[in-house]
Amino acid sequence: PINGAAAPPPPLPREGRTVFISLSSLLHKPWGELSADGRLPSALFFFGSKRAWIFPTTEAERQESAANNPQYLRMDQRLRECILRKEEEGLVFWLKPDGLVYDGGLYSGDPGAYPRASEWLRGLQDPATGAPYRPLLLDPSWWRRGAAGGGFDPDNAKYTKRAGDVVKNMENGAHDYDPFCELLVQSNPSLTPAFM
């Protein structure tokens, strides 16, 4: 930075962008390794957790965080700071709203989560095209009608051929990885989901 000005954001990769989809997986990687990952500066974070599990402000939130993943409260401070920086840049999405009563089940989610995620993505620039990301394909009929009907083609699936699983995942606001990844790449092929 010159004269105390903030450093410019890192350049966006021309080939697309990585989306880290599991904070729990990132916690298993030492910070030195993670911070050296060339994908990190431009990556999106799409986490299935509540923000309050990572940044609790009350004792009840700390207890809920510990019950869901004790590593959240013990994460490296530098990763916590990285998440906050990315939040300031608009590059983080939390699938579960803080007020959600979560029962621990895979399909315990917020049915409004994916429409919100779609709006979040549409507000970001796709470095591969220079245009905003396309909205998520949230129409269940597109997934169910198949390639012959102009919809999802299971033969070109990258993560799951099961359209019903994708629909169930998005209708429940769940974070089942394969259906989520399929939704993401069918909607925006330049995005690359990653665990670590």
Side-chain angles (χ1 to χ4, degrees):
I2 300 173
N3 298 330
L12 295 175
R14 292 186 188 269
E15 68 278 357
R17 191 182 245 159
T18 297
V19 183
F20 288 108
I21 65 166
S22 172
L23 180 54
S24 297
S25 293
L26 292 179
L27 293 173
H28 294 295
K29 198 169 196 176
W31 173 251
E33 226 179 287
L34 184 59
S35 65
D37 188 323
R39 301 171 299 172
L40 186 64
S42 65
L44 302 178
F45 287 167
F46 190 109
F47 298 142
S49 56
K50 295 181 181 185
R51 186 184 189 282
W53 292 348
I54 314 312
F55 303 104
T57 58
T58 67
E59 185 56 32
E61 289 174 345
R62 276 186 279 288
Q63 288 176 9
E64 185 180 13
S65 174
N68 281 282
N69 185 339
Q71 293 300 317
Y72 289 154
L73 298 177
R74 295 192 294 258
M75 85 169 59
D76 189 300
Q77 183 61 29
R78 293 166 294 186
L79 176 54
R80 193 177 301 279
E81 290 166 2
C82 175
I83 294 168
L84 289 171
R85 276 192 309 276
K86 286 193 164 290
E87 268 191 332
E88 288 175 9
E89 296 169 13
L91 303 179
V92 180
F93 186 82
W94 306 94
L95 191 64
K96 292 177 183 64
D98 287 345
L100 177 73
V101 177
Y102 178 64
D103 69 12
L106 178 59
Y107 292 102
S108 175
D110 174 24
Y114 283 102
R116 283 193 311 276
S118 186
E119 287 302 311
W120 168 71
L121 274 174
R122 291 178 67 203
L124 299 173
Q125 180 184 349
D126 181 344
T129 66
Y133 285 106
R134 294 185 301 195
L136 294 174
L137 294 166
L138 299 179
D139 180 359
S141 67
W142 184 87
W143 290 94
R144 292 185 176 123
R145 69 178 168 250
F152 175 58
D153 181 357
D155 291 335
N156 290 321
K158 295 188 184 209
Y159 295 92
T160 183
K161 295 176 181 282
R162 299 174 57 141
D165 290 352
V166 177
V167 171
K168 181 178 180 181
N169 201 56
M170 64 187 187
E171 287 181 343
N172 287 283
H175 198 230
D176 190 1
Y177 293 138
D178 286 345
F180 166 67
C181 291
E182 194 65 39
L183 171 64
L184 199 61
V185 300
Q186 290 293 327
S187 304
N188 288 284
S190 65
L191 292 174
T192 304
F195 291 97
M196 291 197 284

